[in-house]
Amino acid sequence: MSSPTPRKLGAQEAIRKFCVACMGGSYLLVAQCAEASCPLHEFRQSPAPDLAKATRPPVRAIRRQCLACCCGDRDRVRACAASPACKQPFEPCVLWRFRLGSRPEIFERRKKKARSTLLTLPGLTLEKTETA
């Protein structure tokens, strides 16, 4: 009998786990965290804040955290090696799935659509070719 695949965390849950790890495993210290400059600060508590009150969606906050971790280098964020399948000396990062600033499903859908869309330049017309 095979073990069930682990459930993938949502952005809010990933932030919560990241904050608990940042505070050494203490939920009490997460609740008392005074680091207001942290991009994840408003999402650190378990019940999700009212999204109307949030300054940005959780995935955008994760993107900001990843950029801060990689010194603002977008290429380093994209090439981040802290995936769940990473090898030593790295530790897996729970935020890794959301490092690009969108949910992974949406990112893959956009990438697939971009591959199938023809690039058109102003003044250049391409005629459609029939496929057999």
Side-chain angles (χ1 to χ4, degrees):
M1 190 169 170
S2 65
S3 64
T5 45
R7 185 177 69 83
K8 292 180 180 172
L9 298 177
Q12 180 71 38
E13 296 168 306
I15 291 172
R16 178 74 171 155
K17 281 190 169 250
F18 183 85
C19 290
V20 169
C22 177
M23 291 296 178
S26 172
Y27 290 91
L28 181 61
L29 289 177
V30 170
Q32 296 172 351
C33 179
E35 188 60 48
S37 64
C38 175
L40 307 177
H41 188 264
E42 65 184 311
F43 299 102
R44 73 190 189 284
Q45 294 296 325
S46 226
D50 183 15
L51 290 180
K53 293 179 187 175
T55 57
R56 69 182 67 86
V59 291
R60 299 303 297 166
I62 292 172
R63 172 70 173 177
R64 286 181 180 249
Q65 174 64 30
C66 292
L67 281 168
C69 178
C70 292
C71 303
D73 187 351
R74 292 178 177 171
D75 291 331
R76 285 181 60 195
V77 172
R78 186 172 292 277
C80 178
S83 74
C86 70
K87 305 271 190 253
Q88 291 293 336
F90 299 106
E91 288 186 29
C93 178
V94 293
L95 302 179
W96 187 83
R97 290 182 63 228
F98 304 100
R99 73 192 186 284
L100 301 175
S102 67
R103 290 192 339 247
E105 312 83 54
I106 292 174
F107 181 76
E108 288 300 321
R109 196 176 328 140
R110 286 179 186 158
K111 194 164 76 171
K112 184 178 178 182
K113 184 178 179 181
R115 271 190 248 128
S116 65
T117 305
L118 287 175
L119 176 65
T120 58
L121 301 172
L124 178 67
T125 57
L126 297 174
E127 294 184 26
K128 291 185 180 180
T129 57
E130 292 184 27
T131 56

